[in-house]
Amino acid sequence: MDAKIAQLLDGKTLAEKIHSELQQRIQELHPKIGRSPGLAVLMVGDNPASAAYVRNKERACQKVGIASFGQHFASETTQAELEQVIQSLNQDDRVDGILVQLPLPDHLNAIALLHQIDPNKDADGLHSVNLGRLVRGELGLRSCTPAGVMRLLEEYEINLKGKQAVVVGRSILVGKPMALMLLEADATVTIAHSRSHDLAAITRNADILIAAVGRPNLITGDMVKPGAIVVDVGMNRITDDAGNSRLVGDVNFDEVKSVAEFLTPVPGGVGPMTVAILLQNTVWSYSQKS
């Protein structure tokens, strides 16, 4: 008998569905608000991965009917110059969402820039005010990647109530907000990280395992409970001996697919969901103007 293979959690198809819903929502709101929603993505320097992400976001904006107010700055742009740009975007009524593309060159302070963004235009959901709203369970803009993971689990009708969820990674981008969102959905949550003792013993206990550390193939088949739901947030570019590069996640896909019940692919899992939620956040801010 063939071994059972995990069902894929298809973020690409769901992201397309969200894009269609947003397009329709914009068409409904446009006559009331009198303009399209606007998103400003600020990119500094020439990081090729960042440039690809920004192009992706701008294409997605165009597809759903969001105006792009993106700006690309030279690597040597100063903190003061960027703060000035953010302040003017805060005042610009055409802009509903502002996003600073990370990572930034070393001389810039990303957190200080983030705090300059009006919390109601914080498309990435990373401002302290929005993280505070998440902690308190209040309405507000949510961090895109973890919110995308939650929407993916919901789409596949995965019940989180009372389940053991383990989040590997504790970044402010993914790990911490992810744990809070799972908690909000009544899961019992453990956060593990690079200094956790016996990581495999912790992950084997998980009904829902979220890997978000940025280490290729960290989660192997023997670290996963049979029948678990495994979400791979990792996006790592590796190069083989022949010099060919490809994207892999934090989960060893080939090993885990025969152990888990559900599994996200990389690429095509969480990545497209992050962009879809970014657009959703922008449209949510826009809808508050109607």
Side-chain angles (χ1 to χ4, degrees):
M1 198 173 86
D2 290 343
K4 191 171 176 291
I5 299 295
Q7 184 182 341
L8 294 186
L9 297 170
D10 181 355
K12 195 161 179 264
T13 301
L14 176 54
E16 279 162 15
K17 178 180 162 181
I18 292 169
H19 291 168
S20 302
E21 289 166 0
L22 292 174
Q23 200 172 11
Q24 207 174 339
R25 179 90 176 114
I26 292 165
Q27 283 164 4
E28 286 163 15
L29 289 168
H30 197 290
K32 297 177 199 165
I33 299 173
R35 62 170 179 84
S36 300
L39 174 65
V41 179
L42 308 182
M43 183 181 151
V44 185
D46 301 305
N47 180 316
S50 291
Y53 290 143
V54 170
R55 273 197 306 275
N56 223 345
K57 287 164 185 171
E58 286 171 349
R59 269 201 301 267
C61 281
Q62 202 177 354
K63 199 164 135 188
V64 304
I66 294 173
S68 273
F69 293 92
Q71 297 180 49
H72 186 180
F73 301 91
S75 300
E76 56 276 10
T77 305
T78 66
Q79 186 87 9
E81 284 169 320
L82 288 168
E83 287 183 3
Q84 211 173 348
V85 170
I86 291 169
Q87 288 305 335
S88 70
L89 291 169
N90 284 340
Q91 304 305 317
D92 190 334
D93 290 338
R94 300 166 305 163
V95 174
D96 302 286
I98 303 167
L99 163 76
V100 177
Q101 182 67 43
L102 302 175
L104 291 169
D106 291 344
H107 69 282
L108 296 169
N109 181 336
I111 294 167
L113 286 176
L114 201 59
H115 282 145
Q116 294 293 319
I117 298 172
D118 175 345
N120 297 318
K121 292 190 176 189
D122 167 33
D124 234 356
L126 293 175
H127 193 288
S128 302
V129 168
N130 287 318
L131 290 167
R133 285 171 180 158
L134 170 61
V135 170
R136 294 178 64 94
E138 295 170 358
L139 265 184
L141 295 162
R142 297 289 189 248
S143 181
C144 299
T145 300
V149 170
M150 295 303 286
R151 181 67 184 81
L152 195 52
L153 295 173
E154 185 192 314
E155 183 71 9
Y156 284 83
E157 296 178 351
I158 291 164
N159 181 17
L160 301 173
K161 275 188 173 50
K163 298 282 171 65
Q164 294 285 341
V166 172
V167 180
V168 185
R170 54 178 166 179
S171 74
I172 204 71
L173 270 172
V174 183
K176 286 174 182 169
M178 186 81 252
L180 288 164
M181 290 178 198
L182 289 163
L183 205 52
E184 202 171 37
D186 296 328
T188 300
V189 184
T190 301
I191 302 180
H193 45 81
S194 58
R195 292 195 168 82
S196 298
H197 292 300
D198 199 354
L199 183 60
I202 300 168
T203 58
R204 271 196 297 268
N205 200 31
D207 302 311
I208 293 116
L209 176 59
I210 318 270
V213 277
R215 281 176 57 193
N217 299 322
L218 173 72
I219 305 294
T220 51
D222 60 346
M223 294 171 75
V224 176
K225 179 183 189 174
I229 291 114
V230 180
V231 177
D232 191 351
V233 180
M235 191 83 79
N236 312 289
R237 189 165 288 284
I238 60 166
T239 308
D240 63 20
D241 297 338
N244 303 312
S245 83
R246 62 190 175 99
L247 282 178
V248 299
D250 290 352
V251 174
N252 185 319
F253 185 87
D254 291 336
E255 287 186 17
V256 172
K257 70 180 182 186
S258 54
V259 185
E261 185 183 351
F262 288 96
L263 176 61
T264 56
V266 175
V270 176
M273 291 304 299
T274 300
V275 178
I277 301 296
L278 172 70
L279 304 188
Q280 188 175 286
N281 278 347
T282 305
V283 173
W284 186 82
S285 292
Y286 168 72
S287 72
Q288 304 305 300
K289 315 261 170 38
S290 65

